[in-house]
Structures are given as structure tokens and as C-alpha cells.
Amino acid sequence: MKYWTLTEADIDRIAVGCGILGTGGGGSTYHGSLRAKALLREGKRIRMVRPADMAPDAQIIGIGGIGAPTVGIEKIAEGGEGVRLMHALERHMGRKVDALLGDEVGGGNGIAPMLTAAMVDLPVVDADGMGRAFPEVQMTTFFIHGQPVQPAALADADGNVLIVTEATTPKMLEKLLRASTIAMGCTALMTTAPMSGDFVRRFGVPHTTSQAWSLGNAVLNARAAKEDPVEAILRQSGGMRLMRGKVTDIARRVSAGFNRGTLTVAGLDEDAGRSIAIEIQNEYLIAREGETIITMVPDLICIVDSETGRAIGTEELRYGLRIDVLSMPAPVLLRSEIALESVGPRAFGYDFDFVPVGISADAPAVPQYEEDA
């Protein structure tokens, strides 16, 4: 089996990249990256494994945060939630878990499974179910392609653990977990039903941690060379810049366990005189210029600091921020007809069909994978 054993430098790069892929959501990477590096200093290890290398019958669970990012940035996790989740599911199923992954690579959720994996010494699969972040539980390539709805579990920082043993649909599972998360203070850690190695290989978005590392590496190298980190992001991702500007208005609220709102950006420099509006539900969903929709889900709308290339989450937006608004093509699996029913514009209540921007392509694995010693 080939593994990629992460270093603190890798964590720094992955955190930057996960922030970019978070499209405004997925939670802050700051706390998670600090905890991951602390675990490495304690002698723990974080090992990534490619989905193609997992045994077909391996038992894999996805771990990630659920709730409103504005709450999660202040209500810090206790740290053992993932271990409690995993052990609760193992007791319920009568079978051990073989590996973990993140249901979404975006934001802090791209790091969340690494923390639990380090504590129990299990590998993390270099794949996820989104290639970005989405606001709702059922919006994964796994559920789109038939992942079982139960058992699922939820844990909070106070020691509460909830197991869902029956749910009629993935959408109902979202409602059950969302309501329970609100009762837990609007932030918790969750896992969905176990998946086989074969299922993850066929229906996961491959090598998304590698993709995050490559984006973060491009940004950090550009900063070190005193080059434009935003241009480095665009070269690495195949994306495009929608606008360079500043935040002139932000209407944001926490409603039903989500960050919701609208952001207005006024153009600067060569974009002076232009204005775009971006609609938010935890993540950036659509971008409009006047009456024209210029980018929409599931394609990625990423907002980064114009000087540093650091991703700006929806919970961080404020008047006067100088930002670049970027668009990146969604993963191949998200642009299929069946996927668009769950993650396209109509799934969010918009009355128009998806129009893609750019060409989708699966990310390659980083070359750091080596045979386990």
C-alpha cells in the first residue's frame, strides 16, 4: 500500500487549498490546521491513501462539520467528537472502520477527518464527495449515486452523540441532522453511512486533498517569490477571475442553521465601474452582474484576498475588503444530469438551468505517495 505521510508543511498547504475549495463555507481551516500540527508534534501520524489503492471491501466513513460557519468560528470543537462518532458507529454495526475521508474537501471539513485519523491511527482517503463545499448533507456524489441513508451519527463538544438508525431519504437525513445540530448549538461533527472501498473509488471525487495541496503550494510559492498569488491560483486551477474589487455591502444572517445573505462587490482597477452580487447559503452559490448570471453552482465561486490569495469565508466578509472573485469548473461527477438534480441551481430554488464555465477535469494525486515502510 502506498501512503502519503503528511508533514506540518503539507498541512499548511492543504489548509490554504481547502480554504479556496471551500467556496466560502466548510468552516475555517485555522483551528483544524493548528490541531493537526499539534497532533504531529505529539508523535501522531496522518497518512493519506489514494482511493484506487483501497481494498474493495474496506469500510470507510466520512467525517465533517455541520452547522453555521459564523458559529463554528467562535464555538471551538472539543477535539474528541470524531472518535466518539466512529466508535458509536462501530458498536452499532459490529464492524471496525478501516479508513476515513471528508464528505467535503472545502474549508475546515477538508482537515476534519485527519484529526480523528491521527488519534486512532487510520488512513485518510484522498477523495471526497464534493470537490468543494455545499451547505446540505445530501449534496454529495456519494448520496447522488446511492449511498445508504443510515446509520449516520452526530456528536457535539459536550459529549452528546446521536445515531440515526432510520431515515427515509437523504433529504430527510439532512433535516434530522440539521435540527439536531441547532439543538447542539448550531455546530457539530457528523458522519454518514459507511461506504466500501469500491464505492468510494467509483463515486468519490478523486485526489481532492492532493488538489488542495497543489493550490496551497502554488499560493505559498508565489508569496515567497513576491509574485501574484491570485494568478498562481488561476494557473493551477484552470479557473478565471470574475472581478477584482472591494466589498461594498454584505447582508448576512443565521437562519435555520445556515449562513444566508447577499454580497455586493464593486470593481477596482480595470474592473472599475462594474458591480456583481453574490448570493450565499453557507457557500457562494451564484454571481450576477446586472441581470446576467455569470457563474452558478455547482461550479465554484471562490473569494480570496487580492494581496495574499487567502480564501475569505462567508463568516469573514466585511465592508471594504479588497478581494478577487474567482470561478473554477466543478468536478466531472458534479456536472452529470443526475448530479445537477441535487447540486444544480434548481436544487437551491433558482428557476434556471446550469450553464458551465470552463472544462472539468479530475485532479491527479501528488507524487509524494510511497510504499509504507
Side-chain angles (χ1 to χ4, degrees):
M1 179 82 74
K2 287 189 175 182
Y3 293 101
W4 168 25
T5 302
L6 302 185
T7 65
E8 291 190 36
D10 291 325
I11 297 296
D12 288 335
R13 283 154 175 76
I14 290 167
V16 172
C18 285
I20 295 167
L21 294 174
T23 60
S28 169
T29 62
Y30 179 67
H31 293 146
S33 62
L34 289 181
R35 289 174 58 208
K37 289 190 281 187
L39 288 166
L40 293 181
R41 290 169 191 167
E42 292 172 10
K44 304 285 195 300
R45 59 180 181 174
I46 301 173
R47 296 174 299 155
M48 304 301 301
V49 59
R50 296 173 299 193
D53 292 336
M54 290 300 300
D57 61 348
Q59 180 118 301
I60 302 168
I61 62 170
I63 284 181
I66 178 173
T70 47
V71 177
I73 202 169
E74 296 185 8
K75 189 173 182 287
I76 300 172
E78 174 267 337
E81 293 93 333
V83 175
R84 294 194 291 274
L85 280 177
M86 190 186 80
H87 288 165
L89 273 191
E90 287 179 332
R91 289 192 297 268
H92 178 76
M93 299 178 302
R95 180 179 171 181
K96 293 290 187 181
V97 169
D98 298 312
L100 307 177
L101 56 68
D103 277 335
E104 64 178 17
V105 73
N109 278 339
I111 297 174
M114 299 177 186
L115 308 179
T116 301
M119 287 186 273
V120 297
D121 198 27
L122 288 177
V124 180
V125 183
D126 191 354
D128 79 313
M130 299 182 184
R132 48 164 295 156
F134 279 123
E136 298 185 15
V137 170
Q138 78 281 5
M139 294 175 172
T140 70
T141 55
F142 302 130
F143 277 128
I144 289 165
H145 291 281
Q147 180 188 4
V149 178
Q150 64 271 328
L154 195 69
D156 69 5
D158 296 323
N160 297 300
V161 179
L162 170 73
I163 296 180
V164 179
T165 59
E166 296 288 341
T168 53
T169 65
K171 181 65 175 178
M172 178 52 70
L173 178 64
E174 151 68 27
K175 292 179 180 179
L176 294 172
L177 294 179
R178 189 71 52 180
S180 300
T181 300
I182 292 171
M184 291 176 172
C186 272
T187 181
L189 202 70
M190 58 163 280
T191 180
T192 52
M195 300 169 283
S196 70
D198 178 65
F199 185 86
V200 169
R201 180 184 58 79
R202 289 187 292 136
F203 300 122
V205 182
H207 309 138
T208 45
T209 303
S210 290
Q211 181 183 17
W213 186 94
S214 297
L215 282 169
N217 188 57
V219 169
L220 295 183
N221 285 347
R223 290 178 190 170
K226 301 190 183 305
E227 297 174 351
D228 185 349
V230 179
E231 289 296 333
I233 293 170
L234 296 176
R235 287 194 300 270
Q236 181 63 42
S237 68
M240 61 181 290
R241 191 194 325 256
L242 300 179
M243 177 180 286
R244 173 163 286 180
K246 72 173 182 177
V247 176
T248 57
D249 189 40
I250 173 66
R252 181 176 49 206
R253 66 194 187 280
V254 177
S255 175
F258 297 104
N259 282 358
R260 298 180 186 270
T262 304
L263 164 71
T264 304
V265 183
L268 295 173
D269 302 329
E270 63 185 38
D271 292 316
R274 296 176 58 203
S275 176
I276 63 175
I278 299 170
E279 297 185 18
I280 299 167
Q281 182 185 334
N282 280 11
E283 285 77 40
Y284 307 119
L285 298 182
I286 67 167
R288 300 178 187 265
E289 185 168 7
E291 297 300 315
T292 303
I293 300 166
I294 54 178
T295 302
M296 65 191 76
V297 287
D299 283 346
L300 285 67
I301 299 171
C302 309
I303 293 180
V304 300
D305 181 276
S306 294
E307 294 294 326
T308 67
R310 185 182 72 87
I312 306 295
T314 58
E315 71 276 11
E316 299 178 84
L317 293 166
R318 66 182 187 276
Y319 177 82
L321 276 180
R322 263 56 173 177
I323 60 174
D324 279 33
V325 183
L326 314 179
S327 174
M328 300 179 192
V332 175
L333 281 170
L334 292 185
R335 285 184 168 185
S336 68
E337 186 174 339
I338 188 173
L340 291 174
E341 294 176 4
S342 296
V343 299
R346 294 187 184 277
F348 293 90
Y350 296 110
D351 189 24
F352 49 81
D353 293 322
F354 173 64
V355 178
V357 175
I359 299 172
S360 294
D362 290 334
V366 294
Q368 288 96 314
Y369 282 93
E370 298 176 344
E371 292 290 346
D372 196 29

